[in-house]
Amino acid sequence: MNTLRSDFQKGQTLLDYFYYWEKQQPKKVYLRQPQGDRYLDFTWRAVGKQARTLATYLNSLGLPPKSNIGLLSKNCAHWIIADLAILLSGHVSVPFYPTLTANQLRQVLDHSDCSVLFVGKLDKWDEMKTGVPYSLHCIAFPAESLSGGQPDPDHAQWADILARFEPMTDNPQPHSDDLFTIVYTSGTIGNPKGVKMPYKAMISAIDATKPLMHVDVPEPRFFSYLPLCHIAERNMVEALSLITGGTVYFVESMATFARNLATARPTHFLGVPRIWLKFQQNILAKLPQPQLDRLLKLPLVSGLVKRSLRVALGLNNARLILTGAAPTPVPLIRWFRQLGIHIQEAYGMTENLGVVSLMPPDTIRDGTVGKLYEGIQVKFDPITGELMTRSDWSMRGYFREPDMTAAALDSEGWLHTGDVGSLDEEGFLTIMGRVKEIYKTTKGEYVAPALIETGFSENSFVDQICVAVQQLPQPIALIVLSETGQKAEKDEVSQSLEETLNTLNPSLHTYQRVKKAVIVKEPWTVDNDMMTPSLKIRRKIIESRYQPKLQPWLEREETVIWEG
């Protein structure tokens, strides 16, 4: 049984936690990498040996102290090993999204001043490679992390490095003011920005959140599938696993997601809204809502049904279940609560390490994002309602962007989040949308699309939605159908969406009411640039894509329109 040591003191860095578990439980499995029906396991000792050897190699390159080292890979065991190697070598970890195009990759590589780049598990390396400067020194992950692929022969090889160099034996202690990482945002609007985070910010955030993170659960297990370069996954998986000494299970591919999750049975799990919607749709495809409702009303059967569904998802052992990165519809959270899956809403942003608020497990206020963590202050702009936060874990600034830094972080340390919010008398925080995503209709009224979009959350035919407002007299809902919707008859889908509009619109102001629901043909994905790598819609790109059609759609007679 493995529980967090009660004598861990405040002020520990992630490296301090790593040193402890590496020594305390060297033979315990830390990382589990799926390979078909089997797992490649890495003990704490093995992780330490590889990371320390790579750190020796990085130090042999003669780089300036505290150089920026890039990390480009999908989630896998070697991602965490490489990240630890960068920290052990005294350099700065700069991870990138593995879904970047060649041009996007070139932009962040040039901007970040990376001296070295780790290259790992990627779907389209041949296409991305053209975005890497020829002079940049690259280190290839080993073949066992690449799902059947081969490392680029032009790169320094992981296995060769392990064979030629000895692992460092000392335990470096970074200064609290040193940079721990530069985290590039997903670029919902404009180019990604490099958020600078010093060690002391991470230390403060760990100390503030640890009491609420179930760090003392026996045999902690984590499931890694969201991009590790995103602050939420890095906190929930890498940081928490290092703090607790737990085991990390990785997803092999999205095709094996369900099987990998069922094997992992995590004690801690983070799901973005899109994942929760997929879970719900998969359950309802096998157990339609009317049948599920009947079973849940039977006293002796209800408990068995709930447990079997939790087991089928792989969440039967979960002690902490979070949702974040984007608003999760309240009806969806309540639907899972009926199954005994209690999802806690979390709120934050990269610039404050994702640590602002968390829904208390025993005092739930649906429609809010919970209560503030201890140690964070908030206030609101009296005109726009913009939320500002101040804490010991705010960013140091944006890398090489002094003007952007000055606009986001004022002289008194207040971080301007760009989100519109409010705090009620009991301390619950509500987020109403982005300041830049509250648009004026041609009638002169302001509309927050995100709030309207939640009104479609109970319609199982809807997978993705974007409410378009700009340059229109009334909002239009652009909709991508779910798998259930794609299989249903068109008349059934149209009728269902009309019923949703008839239910939603009376609850809205006249100028907010959705005039048309348009079912678009093309799904919005990361590949077609209509979603960020963290699975949030790129609203401006979507609206631009359909802009020429919006007014003609608005003028048509039918309420539900099928594109093409």
Side-chain angles (χ1 to χ4, degrees):
M1 183 176 293
N2 181 33
T3 56
L4 183 70
R5 282 178 59 92
S6 60
D7 59 354
F8 270 138
Q9 300 298 311
K10 288 188 174 183
Q12 303 277 341
T13 68
L14 289 180
L15 282 176
D16 289 323
Y17 288 106
F18 174 70
Y19 298 149
Y20 175 79
W21 295 118
E22 180 190 29
K23 181 179 179 180
Q24 182 72 15
Q25 48 185 32
K27 296 182 180 179
K28 182 177 174 61
V29 173
Y30 175 29
L31 307 175
R32 302 205 72 198
Q33 181 68 42
Q35 294 183 332
D37 294 329
R38 67 184 186 91
Y39 277 82
L40 179 64
D41 290 341
F42 297 82
T43 63
W44 284 88
R45 174 185 291 158
V47 169
K49 183 177 181 180
Q50 292 199 27
R52 289 172 178 277
T53 304
L54 288 162
T56 300
Y57 173 71
L58 290 174
N59 287 332
S60 76
L61 298 177
L63 304 173
K66 304 174 186 175
S67 292
N68 296 340
I69 308 292
L71 179 49
L72 179 69
S73 176
K74 294 167 70 175
N75 297 17
C76 62
H78 294 92
W79 196 105
I80 289 182
I81 295 172
D83 200 39
L84 287 169
I86 296 168
L87 302 183
L88 286 165
S89 66
H91 295 303
V92 181
S93 171
V94 188
F96 301 116
Y97 282 98
T99 52
L100 296 175
T101 65
N103 289 337
Q104 291 168 339
L105 178 59
R106 184 59 181 254
Q107 189 271 324
V108 291
L109 284 175
D110 288 344
H111 186 273
S112 64
D113 275 342
C114 280
S115 303
V116 176
L117 177 67
F118 281 92
V119 178
K121 184 179 178 182
L122 299 164
D123 290 333
K124 300 178 180 179
W125 171 242
D126 288 342
E127 297 177 17
M128 299 174 73
K129 186 176 180 178
T130 59
V132 179
Y134 182 76
S135 60
L136 184 62
H137 183 74
C138 294
I139 302 170
F141 280 18
E144 57 261 32
S145 74
L146 305 182
S147 300
Q150 292 297 320
D152 193 311
D154 294 334
H155 298 169
Q157 301 299 302
W158 189 289
D160 292 344
I161 293 171
L162 296 185
R164 291 174 48 216
F165 292 83
E166 293 296 322
M168 66 189 310
T169 56
D170 59 329
N171 291 343
Q173 292 291 337
H175 191 278
S176 63
D177 285 329
D178 289 346
L179 271 190
F180 157 65
T181 189
I182 298 174
V183 182
Y184 275 84
T185 61
S186 58
T188 307
I189 301 174
N191 287 330
K193 299 184 289 289
V195 176
K196 298 189 294 183
M197 280 295 173
Y199 276 91
K200 64 182 178 183
M202 195 67 180
I203 291 168
S204 299
I206 290 170
D207 291 340
T209 59
K210 200 162 59 175
L212 303 174
M213 292 294 108
H214 292 275
V215 293
D216 57 351
V217 63
E219 300 297 335
R221 295 185 304 283
F222 304 86
F223 183 64
S224 183
Y225 70 100
L226 295 169
L228 269 166
C229 57
H230 189 280
I231 197 64
E233 182 81 352
R234 206 163 177 203
N235 287 347
M236 187 71 170
V237 173
E238 185 181 34
L240 265 182
S241 68
L242 288 169
I243 292 167
T244 62
T247 301
V248 179
Y249 292 71
F250 294 91
V251 67
E252 185 172 18
S253 68
M254 293 314 292
T256 64
F257 181 97
R259 184 173 79 238
N260 296 154
L261 177 56
T263 299
R265 304 208 174 280
T267 56
H268 298 67
F269 182 77
L270 168 66
V272 294
R274 188 159 170 74
I275 291 296
W276 293 116
L277 182 61
K278 289 291 186 185
F279 283 170
Q280 182 193 49
Q281 290 172 352
N282 289 341
I283 290 173
L284 293 178
K286 298 175 182 177
L287 194 61
Q289 190 68 56
Q291 184 180 351
L292 178 61
D293 291 339
R294 288 194 298 271
L295 293 174
L296 293 179
K297 290 178 182 178
L298 301 175
L300 297 179
V301 176
S302 177
L304 293 174
V305 171
K306 292 177 183 179
R307 174 168 175 74
S308 66
L309 290 175
R310 293 196 299 268
V311 169
L313 288 176
L315 298 179
N316 52 305
N317 291 332
R319 291 283 300 277
L320 180 68
I321 304 177
L322 300 184
T323 187
T328 301
V330 170
L332 190 60
I333 292 177
R334 288 174 175 167
W335 188 88
F336 278 101
R337 196 180 298 152
Q338 287 185 313
L339 303 181
I341 297 174
H342 297 276
I343 302 171
Q344 293 174 249
E345 190 106 18
Y347 168 73
M349 57 193 299
T350 307
E351 288 84 345
N352 50 35
L353 278 172
V355 177
V356 175
S357 66
L358 178 69
M359 185 69 71
D362 51 354
T363 310
I364 297 170
R365 182 69 57 83
D366 287 331
T368 75
V369 291
K371 291 191 172 185
L372 304 177
Y373 286 103
E374 185 176 350
I376 193 160
Q377 300 172 275
V378 300
K379 68 177 183 177
F380 303 89
D381 186 284
I383 298 174
T384 66
E386 181 184 13
L387 166 67
M388 289 169 271
T389 70
R390 185 165 65 182
S391 66
D392 291 337
W393 51 88
S394 291
M395 68 171 180
R396 182 175 291 173
Y398 294 119
F399 185 64
R400 296 178 61 187
E401 298 292 351
D403 291 342
M404 288 185 180
T405 298
L409 197 62
D410 66 28
S411 59
E412 296 181 347
W414 287 102
L415 175 66
H416 295 242
T417 67
D419 288 325
V420 178
S422 64
L423 196 69
D424 69 18
E425 295 178 353
E426 296 181 37
F428 285 89
L429 178 66
T430 298
I431 301 298
M432 280 85 84
R434 299 286 293 169
V435 173
K436 293 182 179 179
E437 290 187 355
I438 297 179
Y439 302 118
K440 184 187 289 188
T441 69
T442 56
K443 296 178 180 178
E445 303 285 0
Y446 287 95
V447 175
L451 293 180
I452 301 173
E453 289 160 2
T454 61
F456 290 80
S457 60
E458 291 189 80
N459 192 313
S460 62
F461 294 154
V462 177
D463 184 21
Q464 298 168 291
I465 182 167
C466 175
V467 170
V469 176
Q470 295 186 84
Q471 302 176 35
L472 296 172
Q474 290 290 137
I476 287 180
L478 304 174
I479 292 169
V480 175
L481 292 180
S482 65
E483 291 182 16
T484 304
Q486 293 171 23
K487 294 175 183 177
E489 296 291 334
K490 288 182 66 173
D491 288 346
E492 182 184 3
V493 173
S494 295
Q495 182 179 345
S496 176
L497 289 174
E498 285 198 34
E499 291 173 356
T500 296
L501 291 177
N502 291 337
T503 301
L504 171 65
N505 279 335
S507 67
L508 302 173
H509 291 293
T510 304
Y511 58 84
Q512 294 176 314
R513 291 175 182 173
V514 178
K515 188 74 172 179
K516 306 289 180 183
V518 180
I519 299 163
V520 300
K521 294 187 295 185
E522 182 184 11
W524 306 327
T525 66
V526 175
D527 287 340
N528 64 21
D529 205 32
M530 295 200 201
M531 294 192 79
T532 70
S534 56
L535 304 183
K536 292 181 282 191
I537 63 170
R538 295 187 191 270
R539 189 178 300 279
K540 288 191 175 181
I541 292 178
I542 291 172
E543 289 197 11
S544 175
R545 160 73 170 75
Y546 298 103
Q547 187 62 46
K549 300 180 180 181
L550 295 180
Q551 188 62 41
W553 279 335
L554 197 63
E555 294 171 358
R556 285 174 57 169
E557 293 185 6
E558 65 268 41
T559 302
V560 177
I561 299 166
W562 295 72
E563 185 184 18

